[in-house]
Amino acid sequence: MTISKSALDTYKLLKATATVAEDSLEGRIQHYRAHLKSEEKELRTYTQKAAADLLGCNNRTLKRRHDQGDFSHLDIRRGANGHYAYTLSNIHDMAEILGINAQNRNENDKLQVIIVNSLKGGCGKTTSLVNIAAALATTNIKRYRIGIIDLDPQGSSSSFFPPTEPDPITVGDLMRDCIEFDEGETQADVVSGSFLPTHIPNIRVLPSGMDDFYFEHETATQLNEGRDYSENRHYHKLLEKVIKPVENEFDIILVDTAPSLNFMFYNALMASTAMLIPVHPEAVDFDANNKFLKRLAEIYHTVAALGHEGWDFMQFLVTNYVKGNHSQRDIVKDIRSAFGRQVMSYPINHSSAITASSSSFNTIFDQKTSDSLASRESLIKSQENIKDVVDELEMLIRSNWNSTQCQLETA
Ligand SMILES: Nc1ncnc2c1ncn2[C@@H]1O[C@H](COP(=O)(O)OP(=O)(O)OP(=O)(O)O)[C@@H](O)[C@H]1O
Ligand SMILES: [Mg+2]
């Protein structure tokens, strides 16, 4: 095969560009990311009043329990003002002491694997996912065990939950069998260790990496070689190599995806129990979404034929909605009249608090109102908005757990 001179020139240009990116820009990127080092990234702390609110008791009860020495073995620090500054881990430990049970699913309840996907780039998949995860983990005392799988090799959601290790195992490494096992180590051991703890105590993240792109190439090669499906099970890799081995460690797994109908996406579909489709209510996005929906049914058919058991729910989530914008309001009306109850009741509103926190890879629940770059009012409003969305999502999730149904019936 001969390469033309102009193609060779383009290739040289790309090589030179890559060198510039590596030599000069990498340092700058490290500079932007400096604050992402996990030892620096900490979740906000809570005042005694905020801790009592979260625990569902009053301030006086907490004070009394402190006086009795019930919490004296916990490492509860004090802030600059001398008052207690509780971490979320402190509050979880206090919940145990106060006899407030975690509301994890029981073994007969199905693990919820929710994929957040749309073919439209920039419609708010990552922003919605990370803020929903943070709200699920920090705004109640239920202590759900939450996993985030970053299936987008760009690693956007991993950046909000920076890995605690410099060179972490990625989801692609696990799907592509790139890991060398130590003696006696099982797939479950490796996968479990790869879901890294984050600055939020009950969220663990399985990051992505740029090499995860090779999964596409390798799968395409295997398909071209016409190998039998049972030999590679290339659409079952996320489910069988990543999720099944650790399914008992989580209640809810959220999967962030790239805006692409690639082999990773087929894997996400095969592993999913539910689907959340963010829709940004702008004409061009709406149009792209409709085209995506036509393809989705065809793709799902392939996955169904290979054994997928159907979704518990599929919901549209209106994102980045600018209140008062007439054309967006009309599009949302159209979406609601077309899809009815399949549209989440609350949109995620456009918010300067989300813009400000995202610019430093924070969710709106990471920081105290006083630390936020946005106004206190905007942060509180946005937190309340996401909380409304999450309340509905939680209801959808819990309606699939028999143990929760029993609680409702006996209440
Ligand atoms: N509710 C919101 N308020 C303010 N800004 C938002 C909101 N939702 C999303 N954005 C902004 O829109 C941009 C795109 O969002 P995001 O990265 O979440 O999209 P995405 O669908 O994950 O993109 P990609 O397809 O590239 O993965 C980001 O700059 C994000 O900060
Ligand atoms: Mg994204």
Side-chain angles (χ1 to χ4, degrees):
M1 187 173 49
T2 50
I3 297 179
S4 72
K5 185 181 170 309
S6 52
L8 205 58
D9 288 344
T10 306
Y11 175 70
K12 283 183 192 157
L13 176 69
L14 285 174
K15 288 292 271 183
T17 314
T19 309
V20 172
E22 193 169 348
D23 294 351
S24 2
L25 298 180
E26 195 62 26
R28 292 305 297 159
I29 291 167
Q30 290 310 331
H31 168 77
Y32 299 137
R33 292 188 168 231
H35 60 281
L36 294 178
K37 285 198 207 109
S38 54
E39 58 269 26
E40 286 173 36
K41 184 152 186 171
E42 281 180 359
L43 183 64
R44 58 163 289 197
T45 53
Y46 295 71
T47 61
Q48 189 159 317
K49 163 92 174 57
D53 284 348
L54 205 52
L55 288 162
C57 61
N58 62 35
N59 229 343
R60 284 225 307 259
T61 310
L62 278 198
K63 190 172 174 321
R64 184 170 49 78
R65 302 293 291 247
H66 267 296
D67 293 345
Q68 285 171 207
D70 292 349
F71 306 136
S72 52
H73 59 292
L74 302 180
D75 180 22
I76 301 173
R77 311 250 166 105
R78 288 179 189 269
N81 56 9
H83 296 151
Y84 288 123
Y86 303 91
T87 62
L88 191 60
S89 296
N90 290 151
I91 297 172
H92 287 180
D93 291 341
M94 290 157 76
E96 294 291 330
I97 293 165
L98 294 169
I100 302 167
N101 292 331
Q103 295 193 25
N104 304 129
R105 71 186 173 100
N106 75 23
E107 57 186 25
N108 298 320
D109 299 333
K110 188 162 52 162
L111 167 68
Q112 298 290 298
V113 181
I114 304 172
I115 50 172
V116 181
N117 179 264
S118 163
L119 190 51
K120 182 76 186 89
C123 66
K125 294 181 286 296
T126 303
T127 309
S128 307
L129 183 145
V130 296
N131 282 291
I132 284 173
L136 268 171
T138 64
T139 60
N140 60 63
I141 196 63
K142 292 175 186 148
R143 288 161 277 163
Y144 294 126
R145 299 163 304 164
I146 299 167
I148 293 178
I149 298 180
D150 190 353
L151 221 52
D152 182 351
Q154 292 182 89
S156 310
S157 45
S158 319
S159 297
F160 283 82
F161 298 96
T164 40
E165 286 172 18
D167 193 12
I169 292 176
T170 68
V171 61
D173 293 338
L174 295 171
M175 290 167 73
R176 295 169 55 226
D177 286 325
C178 291
I179 312 295
E180 281 183 29
F181 287 33
D182 289 337
E183 216 183 305
E185 208 175 30
T186 63
Q187 176 82 8
D189 297 334
V190 173
V191 179
S192 181
S194 308
F195 272 91
L196 298 172
T198 68
H199 64 292
I200 300 186
N202 35 354
I203 296 183
R204 286 160 68 199
V205 68
L206 177 57
S208 61
M210 284 307 271
D211 284 356
D212 293 359
F213 273 125
Y214 290 123
F215 180 76
E216 303 302 320
H217 177 69
E218 288 166 7
T219 308
T221 308
Q222 287 164 2
L223 283 169
N224 279 340
E225 288 167 359
R227 293 199 212 162
D228 188 13
Y229 186 77
S230 59
E231 202 182 320
N232 282 298
R233 296 182 66 73
H234 39 261
Y235 297 150
H236 276 87
K237 295 205 169 172
L238 181 68
L239 180 64
E240 293 174 355
K241 289 179 182 293
V242 178
I243 294 181
K244 283 276 176 211
V246 291
E247 65 181 344
N248 293 331
E249 297 182 21
F250 297 101
D251 300 310
I252 302 162
I253 292 183
L254 297 165
V255 184
D256 193 13
T257 55
S260 166
L261 302 179
N262 55 12
F263 293 120
M264 282 280 194
F265 176 61
Y266 278 78
N267 270 271
L269 277 185
M270 186 60 89
S272 61
T273 62
M275 169 89 153
L276 206 53
I277 304 178
V279 190
H280 183 219
E282 288 288 349
V284 58
D285 298 57
F286 190 37
D287 181 44
N289 189 54
N290 291 346
K291 288 180 180 145
F292 160 67
L293 292 175
K294 282 189 201 150
R295 280 282 164 278
L296 188 58
E298 289 164 23
I299 293 175
Y300 182 73
H301 191 268
T302 307
V303 174
L306 290 169
H308 188 267
E309 290 182 353
W311 283 323
D312 293 333
F313 59 85
M314 176 184 113
Q315 293 294 111
F316 294 94
L317 171 63
V318 175
T319 53
N320 212 350
Y321 175 56
V322 180
K323 275 187 179 170
N325 176 313
H326 295 300
S327 79
Q328 288 206 1
R329 194 193 53 201
D330 290 347
I331 290 176
V332 172
K333 262 194 199 161
D334 287 341
I335 296 173
R336 288 196 188 284
S337 72
F339 301 118
R341 282 201 194 169
Q342 268 183 282
V343 186
M344 298 290 281
S345 308
Y346 293 94
I348 295 188
N349 296 322
H350 176 81
S351 153
S352 57
I354 292 185
T355 310
S357 55
S358 296
S359 68
S360 52
F361 296 103
N362 281 308
T363 77
I364 52 167
F365 298 93
D366 288 11
Q367 296 168 309
K368 282 186 186 166
T369 42
S370 52
D371 296 335
S372 170
L373 292 173
S375 73
R376 181 187 157 80
E377 194 199 359
S378 152
L379 186 68
I380 290 175
K381 252 196 194 163
S382 188
Q383 287 178 341
E384 281 170 358
N385 171 220
I386 301 275
K387 183 83 179 62
D388 285 335
V389 174
V390 164
D391 282 346
E392 187 179 358
L393 187 65
E394 225 190 317
M395 206 184 66
L396 288 164
I397 291 171
R398 291 173 73 90
S399 62
N400 295 302
W401 289 342
N402 285 335
S403 59
T404 321
Q405 297 302 304
C406 296
Q407 271 176 24
L408 290 175
E409 277 162 25
T410 51

